[in-house]
Amino acid sequence: LPAGLLHVLPGGADVGAAVVETPQVRIVSFTGSTAAGRKVGELASEHLKRVHLELGGKNSIIVLPGADVAMAASAAAFGAFLHQGQICMATSRVVVHESIYDEFVSALAEKARHLPVGDPSAEQVALGPVIDAKQRDRMDSLVQATISAGATLVAGGTYENLFYKPTVLAGVTSSMPAYNEEIFGPVASVYKFSQTQEAIDLVSDTEYGLSLSILGDVGAAMDIADHVESGLIHINEQT
């Protein structure tokens, strides 16, 4: 890139505010949490600036009966654990048909257990560190609270320094903390459904509605897509 075109400015809310306020910045494009996005939007409007906000996500994969379990587990692992799950479009809920639920949970947990975690500058790893200790502790508190509420920890759930192991929670229900909160970490919560409408209701029960993936028969997936309000819908691919 030409010198001076791209600037990376690490910092907190003060740096963000300075970038929004300065007259040299004409348009603000923000990716982050809904709470922070509201602040950016408010500040940008005070200065009559155009602003683009891409905010929180609670994204789901629906795994239909008859889907290839190994491929589905691979897609869910990619969607949930890429960049330590620190992506607004990360797969957070995995909604699996009861006929393949146990096989799927086992396959996803096996993948999670074998993904190496460590310093990507020093070794070949699949997952590096999460952004900071505050986010790690918030994420871990959600995981532990969900386990305390009755979910089963199938893989992960532990960390060393900022390195959090890929985590799979099974038997998650709508009353548990991992159901509603955007975790923003390498955590996949697996849900069981029997009827298609149950799956539609599960993935629709969120204020975010950013991204959805449907794995299995394309015709059935298209029918489901017609009944879910989502910014993006992927068929036979991760979120």
Side-chain angles (χ1 to χ4, degrees):
L1 294 175
L5 178 61
L6 174 67
H7 297 272
V8 179
L9 305 174
D14 56 336
V15 173
V19 170
V20 175
E21 290 173 338
T22 185
Q24 286 82 3
V25 173
R26 302 277 299 279
I27 298 173
V28 177
S29 177
F30 173 80
T31 300
S33 71
T34 303
R38 286 197 177 99
K39 300 284 189 184
V40 171
E42 289 171 7
L43 194 55
S45 66
E46 286 180 18
H47 295 269
L48 300 177
K49 292 186 179 183
R50 287 178 60 192
V51 62
H52 306 274
L53 304 175
E54 202 279 278
L55 307 177
K58 191 69 180 174
N59 315 293
S60 299
I61 280 181
I62 299 175
V63 186
L64 299 174
D68 183 311
V69 173
M71 294 291 285
S74 181
F78 190 105
F81 305 141
L82 179 68
H83 197 50
Q84 301 75 253
Q86 298 172 125
I87 303 172
C88 53
M89 292 167 61
T91 303
S92 184
R93 294 178 184 168
V94 187
V95 182
V96 185
H97 190 262
E98 60 185 5
S99 62
I100 55 175
Y101 178 84
D102 291 339
E103 183 184 359
F104 177 89
V105 169
S106 177
L108 181 59
E110 187 72 7
K111 282 192 171 292
R113 293 189 198 102
H114 287 88
L115 288 171
V117 182
D119 182 354
S121 68
E123 55 186 324
Q124 283 292 113
V125 296
L127 284 81
V130 296
I131 187 66
D132 58 28
K134 180 181 178 182
Q135 170 56 20
R136 178 204 62 202
D137 293 345
R138 176 187 175 276
M139 172 178 57
D140 188 59
S141 70
L142 288 170
V143 169
Q144 302 309 325
T146 299
I147 296 168
S148 297
T152 301
L153 177 65
V154 189
T158 61
Y159 63 86
E160 185 175 342
N161 297 321
L162 295 180
F163 301 99
Y164 205 95
K165 289 188 178 296
T167 298
V168 179
L169 299 171
V172 182
T173 67
S174 59
S175 63
M176 298 177 183
Y179 179 80
N180 285 310
E181 296 283 341
E182 183 183 20
I183 298 175
F184 217 66
V187 180
S189 301
V190 190
Y191 305 78
K192 184 189 296 185
F193 77 95
S194 56
Q195 302 298 320
T196 301
Q197 188 58 50
E198 290 178 65
I200 292 172
D201 291 344
L202 267 170
V203 302
S204 300
D205 187 19
T206 174
E207 64 182 18
Y208 297 113
L210 182 58
S211 182
L212 169 69
S213 166
I214 309 168
L215 308 180
D217 177 76
V218 174
M222 294 289 282
D223 288 340
I224 292 171
D226 287 339
H227 292 87
V228 177
E229 189 174 346
S230 180
L232 294 165
I233 296 181
H234 309 263
I235 293 177
N236 288 327
E237 184 55 281
Q238 42 76 31
T239 55

